[in-house]
Amino acid sequence: QSALTQPRSVSGSPGQSVTISCTGTSSDVGGYNYVSWYQQHPGKAPKLMIYDVSKRPSGVPDRFSGSKSGNTASLTISGLQAEDEADYYCCSYAGSYTSPGVFGTGTKVTVL
Amino acid sequence: EVQLVESGGGLVKPGGSLRLSCAASGFTFSSYSMNWVRQAPGKGLEWVSSISSSSSYIYYADSVKGRFTISRDNAKNSLYLQMNSLRAEDTAVYYCASQHRYCTNGVCYPAYYFDYWGQGTLVTVSS
């Protein structure tokens, strides 16, 4: 299973919206509604932000939203804030009972 | 509050062994599948291994199959990763992560996402 493809970096000014794409194939992203997103600040553990494509865990601000179209999933951060600057990773189930999922390559979000 | 605390990392020579531990608290550890996920310096996340709640199902990434062994002790709320024949490319921060589960009509099965993560432990393989 190959890593899902994400842009290396995206940036935006405070208050703006940014969208991170996560491109896979019909065998992973496109085949199942099991895409999750994780936020990771430098030197910290990943934190679950979105699961099952568009669901938000309790405590995650509603500025974070997820969606999917075909083989590409997206994470949108609306009303960008300074604390949103971090790395973001997508993850998708890939149809194998032997693995819970394959991660994306990661995207650095910079708040200008 | 859910807590996952890894330990056991360190510097080891190529070909050596290391055993990682993950102490869990704040949730019913024995009911959840657990995983190890690693991150090489400056790189992305890579799933390493998973173990079901009762240890009945164990899976490994191809990159560690035959060298790493995952296990758990539900009485001690602990997860382990025995790493043998270590290589330079195994150098990474190793995170333990719980896998959420769905329950319907009293039947539960693992979800496909990691809901809680530990802070990680660094493993460096170098001569």
Side-chain angles (χ1 to χ4, degrees), chain B residues 29-50:
Chain B
F29 178 76
S30 59
S31 296
Y32 291 85
S33 295
M34 296 295 295
N35 296 262
W36 288 99
V37 177
R38 69 183 180 183
Q39 186 173 35
K43 302 296 184 181
L45 300 170
E46 178 190 16
W47 171 79
V48 172
S49 181
S50 67

Side-chain angles (χ1 to χ4, degrees), chain B residues 8-30:
Chain B
L11 175 63
V12 61
K13 290 181 168 54
S17 298
L18 213 53
R19 189 193 194 209
L20 307 183
S21 299
C22 172
S25 61
F27 67 108
T28 308
F29 178 76
S30 59

Side-chain angles (χ1 to χ4, degrees), chain A residues 29-48:
Chain A
V29 175
Y32 309 92
N33 289 323
Y34 295 132
V35 177
S36 52
W37 290 90
Y38 303 87
Q39 176 192 65
Q40 186 180 36
H41 287 108
K44 301 295 185 181
K47 175 187 175 184
L48 177 68

Side-chain angles (χ1 to χ4, degrees), chain A residues 34 36 38 40 44-46 48 51-52 89 93 97-100 103, chain B residues 35 37 39 43-45 47 59 95 99 102 112-115 117-118:
Chain A
Y34 295 132
S36 52
Y38 303 87
Q40 186 180 36
K44 301 295 185 181
L48 177 68
Y51 66 96
D52 294 353
Y89 294 90
Y93 177 61
Y97 68 89
T98 62
S99 169
F103 286 98
Chain B
N35 296 262
V37 177
Q39 186 173 35
K43 302 296 184 181
L45 300 170
W47 171 79
Y59 306 111
Y95 297 100
Q99 190 170 341
Y102 298 114
Y112 298 109
Y113 60 93
F114 310 104
D115 47 3
W117 299 64

